[in-house]
Amino acid sequence: MKNFEEIIAKIARENGTTPENVLREMQLAIDHAYDHHDKEAQKLWDMMSFKSDRPTPEEFIFQVEYAA
């Protein structure tokens, strides 16, 4: 995987925003998915491990990439 910061910077440039905004929006989406997932998604969440109670965007992307 490319350097995570480079990917976030590219997404920000393409969307006319900042890397900080991209990361904030990603965290909001991850938090929403974590709080509102269905039974099928639980399998994916169970395969993940993260440093705190929820994954950061970087942890989530890294783990989803390798879980697929």
Side-chain angles (χ1 to χ4, degrees):
M1 177 164 71
K2 281 187 173 180
N3 183 332
F4 185 76
E5 289 80 22
E6 290 175 14
I7 294 168
I8 297 302
K10 180 179 180 191
I11 292 168
R13 277 192 311 275
E14 290 174 353
N15 289 280
T17 190
T18 65
E20 294 79 16
N21 285 337
V22 171
L23 289 171
R24 187 178 69 247
E25 291 297 320
M26 288 176 73
Q27 190 66 59
L28 289 171
I30 291 166
D31 290 345
H32 181 78
Y34 188 85
D35 290 337
H36 301 96
H37 61 270
D38 61 20
K39 199 173 188 178
E40 286 298 311
Q42 186 62 47
K43 295 173 190 174
L44 177 63
W45 289 110
D46 288 344
M47 292 181 349
M48 294 185 193
S49 62
F50 12 93
K51 295 176 186 172
S52 63
D53 65 326
R54 292 165 191 250
T56 65
E58 187 172 10
E59 287 175 317
F60 183 80
I61 296 299
F62 181 77
Q63 291 191 40
V64 168
E65 178 181 45
Y66 289 100

